[in-house]
């Protein structure tokens, strides 16, 4: 049941801290505090490249994974949505790591992409929530997101669990490739272990998020902005808003705004920005100043450090706990999903079963 929550989505949102913690328990040895993977039928130290593919939210998780694997493990990554990947016939390097991501393990396009990668001699590592799914059976190895059943059509906790797995995989890959020394690993593991408590604190911002929702609910179009690993977070926020509130939303890499979408900006198009105080903070801040100068209304998710610097230009700020840059995309996902939820509640839509959508898309 819904345990007293209004919808399954609300219940599942509140499970973020638990699910991140359970997933970490499976991936991190409590004695050594090191990431431990199951035995792999290939060597992370020598895979020439990674190719990531998935659909919808799982694809956005893959995009965050790309930023991490490239930056931290120095592994070259190709990524595309599965519906494109399966027909693109790209020139792949045999022996590469194929990273497939799916909550259900039954998504038709992702499964077809898995089969075509396999046929090209790519090792298949799937990040799955349903561990007895079709994709599980056809993979070389699976990493299970310990999210439990996800009922709401809009994915929430499965997404942060996918990010948690990808973060751990990045650490293990970086170590195997000699890009992360024991101290570096300790620092990143500590950042992950800190997450469940910080994630729980996000729910203290419920009132501020509901106030933001009342602005967004009046809009016809909403622009989501983020840079680096916050760009996929912006995409996740925009998708969730579209799915359950039926408000049109678009996500842009903040630096791309002046190459087109800036012409959309006026009082009627709120801008939702995910801007924690990472090294990209100043760059995004200057994009927000440009938007403000054109009459844009800025609704900002930042942290305690960023809040002071953005408050002068923002119409509303939601202040989140400060976490390590590495795990910021995981933490920042929670409030953008909560925002979409509160907007849908205000609009009175069928939150758990939005029109035209199915929980798992098993036909092409
Ligand atoms: O089961 P999967 O993770 O493969 O599903 C992929 C997408 O269909 C899914 O993430 C979809 O985009 C969600 N409704 C997003 O909330």
């Amino acid at each position: 049941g819904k345990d007293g929550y209004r919808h399954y989505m609300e219940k599942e949102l509140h499970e973020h801290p638990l699910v991140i913690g359970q997933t970490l328990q499976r991936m991190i040895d409590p004695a050594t505090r090191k990431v431990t993977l199951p035995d792999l039928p290939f060597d992370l130290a020598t895979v020439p490249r990674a190719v990531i593919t998935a659909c919808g939210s799982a694809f956005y998780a893959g995009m965050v994974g790309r930023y991490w694997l490239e930056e931290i493990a120095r592994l070259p990554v190709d990524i595309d949505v599965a519906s494109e990947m399966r027909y693109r016939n790209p020139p792949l390097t045999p022996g590469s790591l194929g990273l497939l991501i799916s909550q259900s393990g039954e998504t038709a396009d992702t499964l077809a992409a898995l089969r075509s990668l396999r046929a090209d001699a790519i090792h298949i590592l799937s990040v799955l929530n349903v561990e007895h799914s079709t994709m599980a059976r056809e993979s070389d190895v699976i990493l299970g997101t310990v999210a439990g059943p996800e009922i709401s059509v809009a994915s929430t906790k499965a997404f942060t669990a996918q990010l948690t797995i990808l973060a751990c995989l990045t650490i293990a890959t970086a170590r195997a490739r000699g890009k992360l020394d024991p101290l570096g690993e300790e620092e990143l593991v500590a950042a992950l272990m800190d997450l469940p408590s910080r994630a729980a604190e996000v729910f203290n911002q419920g009132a501020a998020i509901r106030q933001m929702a009342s602005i967004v609910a009046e809009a016809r179009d909403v622009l989501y902005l983020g840079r680096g690993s916050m760009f996929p977070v912006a995409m996740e926020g925009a998708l969730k808003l579209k799915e359950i509130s039926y408000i049109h939303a678009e996500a842009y890499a903040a630096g791309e705004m002046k190459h087109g979408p800036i012409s959309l900006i006026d009082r009627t198009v709120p801008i939702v920005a995910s801007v924690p105080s990472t090294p990209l903070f100043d760059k995004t801040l200057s994009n927000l100043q440009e938007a403000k100068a054109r009459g844009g209304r800025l609704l900002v998710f930042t942290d305690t450090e960023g809040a002071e610097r953005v408050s002068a230009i923002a119409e509303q700020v939601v202040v989140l706990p400060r976490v390590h840059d590495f795990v910021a995309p995981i933490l920042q996902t929670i409030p953008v999903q909560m925002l979409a939820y509160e907007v849908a509640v205000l609009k009175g839509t069928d939150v758990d079963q939005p029109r035209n959508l199915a929980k798992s898309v098993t036909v092409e």
Side-chain angles (χ1 to χ4, degrees):
K2 295 181 212 159
D3 295 352
Y5 289 107
R6 292 168 289 178
H7 301 94
Y8 281 105
M9 184 176 176
E10 186 181 36
K11 177 186 169 199
E12 290 165 3
L13 278 165
H14 280 82
E15 287 170 358
H16 275 303
L18 179 77
V19 157
I20 295 167
Q22 284 172 351
T23 304
L24 288 174
Q25 259 178 37
R26 187 161 318 162
M27 299 296 289
I28 294 170
D29 181 315
T32 61
R33 286 174 69 97
K34 288 200 166 300
V35 172
T36 49
L37 297 182
D39 285 337
L40 303 177
F42 49 87
D43 189 356
L44 285 176
T46 55
V47 290
R49 308 180 68 83
V51 42
I52 304 182
T53 190
C55 301
S57 284
F59 170 70
Y60 303 143
M63 280 185 69
V64 176
R66 188 253 299 243
Y67 284 100
W68 282 335
L69 284 168
E70 288 184 342
E71 191 173 325
I72 300 168
R74 310 305 301 157
L75 180 65
V77 176
D78 301 313
I79 179 165
D80 206 347
V81 289
S83 55
E84 287 298 312
M85 186 67 86
R86 63 181 291 192
Y87 296 119
R88 253 177 57 196
N89 193 18
L92 298 166
T93 313
S96 292
L97 169 66
L99 210 51
L100 286 284
I101 308 163
S102 175
Q103 189 284 127
S104 62
E106 302 295 346
T107 300
D109 283 320
T110 314
L111 179 60
L114 181 157
R115 289 173 177 159
S116 87
L117 293 177
R118 255 204 111 93
D120 280 337
I122 304 301
H123 303 295
I124 306 295
L125 187 161
S126 297
V127 178
L128 302 172
N129 196 39
V130 181
E131 295 186 33
H132 48 78
S133 52
T134 309
M135 285 180 60
R137 286 196 299 277
E138 299 194 19
S139 301
D140 294 315
V141 59
I142 70 163
L143 293 176
T145 48
V146 195
E150 191 180 66
I151 310 289
S152 158
V153 164
S155 182
T156 53
K157 59 178 180 167
F159 181 82
T160 51
Q162 287 160 353
L163 292 180
T164 304
I165 294 280
L166 293 169
C168 293
L169 181 65
T170 300
I171 292 173
T173 308
R175 185 209 301 138
R177 302 174 84 78
K179 305 298 177 195
L180 195 64
D181 59 21
L183 263 175
E185 176 160 0
E186 211 174 283
E187 179 184 329
L188 299 186
V189 167
L192 281 166
M193 304 280 265
D194 183 44
L195 256 182
S197 336
R198 300 289 84 77
E201 288 167 25
V202 173
F203 296 91
N204 300 336
Q205 297 304 313
I209 293 171
R210 279 189 292 278
Q211 198 185 323
M212 207 182 256
S214 66
I215 298 170
V216 172
E218 299 297 316
R220 225 188 57 175
D221 307 283
V222 182
L223 202 56
Y224 281 73
L225 298 178
R227 266 180 193 261
S229 62
M230 286 316 129
F231 173 39
V233 171
M235 297 178 96
E236 165 65 4
L239 176 67
K240 222 105 289 184
L241 189 74
K242 283 181 274 210
E243 275 191 297
I244 60 172
S245 78
Y246 315 145
I247 294 173
H248 170 243
E250 256 191 278
Y252 261 87
E256 267 294 291
M257 196 184 60
K258 63 176 69 160
H259 299 284
I262 199 164
S263 69
L264 291 172
I265 292 173
D266 65 19
R267 295 276 311 156
T268 68
V269 184
I271 296 163
V272 176
S274 297
V275 206
S277 47
T278 66
L280 291 173
F281 182 87
D282 289 334
K283 294 286 173 197
T284 316
L285 187 65
S286 74
N287 299 129
L288 296 184
Q289 277 154 347
E290 290 156 6
K292 169 81 177 172
R294 284 149 186 93
R297 301 172 70 178
L298 305 178
L299 311 177
V300 180
F301 292 110
T302 183
D303 53 33
T304 37
E305 239 176 277
E308 289 171 33
R309 307 201 34 223
V310 82
S311 61
I313 56 168
E315 173 160 345
Q316 214 203 321
V317 181
V318 171
V319 186
L320 303 160
R322 172 86 169 99
V323 292
H324 193 291
D325 296 347
F326 174 51
V327 299
I330 308 182
L331 188 93
Q332 291 274 334
T333 291
I334 301 172
V336 297
Q337 292 178 342
M338 287 169 73
L339 175 65
Y341 173 75
E342 295 297 347
V343 174
V345 168
L346 286 173
K347 297 226 106 177
T349 59
D350 188 349
V351 174
D352 286 333
Q353 290 286 336
R355 68 187 182 201
N356 309 338
L357 284 171
K359 179 63 183 163
S360 80
V361 183
T362 54
V363 288
E364 186 175 6

